[in-house]
Amino acid sequence: MLFMVEMAVDIPLSFDRSEAERLKAAEKEQFQELQRAGTWRHIWRVAGQYANVSIFDVEDNAQLHELLTGLPLYPFMTMKITALCRHPSSTYDDDR
């Protein structure tokens, strides 16, 4: 199943700076693993914001929930999730 996930990150200014950097590095590492696995298919930065729009390819809602809540920066995120389905006019074979 494909999902579009809009994520905005808001780490409080009072949060420990070194811990924030550690969490960001762990987030990047986890993201890159998921991208190599084909689970986190696309990511785009939202210009001028600490935010992104991503496309996930997962088995079901439960897998997406587990993946998102397991992200190191999850406690600081606001998300909007939209389920997607293949458009009949798409010329791409991998749009499931």
Side-chain angles (χ1 to χ4, degrees), residues 10-48:
D10 185 18
I11 300 173
L13 294 175
S14 61
F15 192 76
D16 181 73
R17 193 176 286 263
S18 62
E19 179 62 7
E21 292 305 316
R22 187 192 68 74
L23 289 172
K24 289 177 191 179
E27 181 95 7
K28 181 177 181 178
E29 183 177 323
Q30 189 168 342
F31 155 71
Q32 289 177 339
E33 280 181 30
L34 290 166
Q35 193 174 43
R36 283 189 287 274
T39 305
W40 199 324
R41 287 183 51 173
H42 301 281
I43 186 169
W44 294 274
R45 174 170 280 153
V46 178

Side-chain angles (χ1 to χ4, degrees), residues 1-4 54-56 82-86 96:
M1 296 180 72
L2 295 177
F3 291 90
M4 176 180 67
S54 294
I55 304 296
F56 288 85
T82 305
L84 303 173
C85 59
R86 187 178 193 282
R96 298 184 270 143

Side-chain angles (χ1 to χ4, degrees), residues 7-15 20 23-24 49-52 73-79:
M7 301 179 204
V9 180
D10 185 18
I11 300 173
L13 294 175
S14 61
F15 192 76
L23 289 172
K24 289 177 191 179
Q49 299 178 35
Y50 192 179
N52 72 73
L73 291 174
Y74 175 77
F76 306 104
M77 290 182 181
T78 302
M79 297 184 201

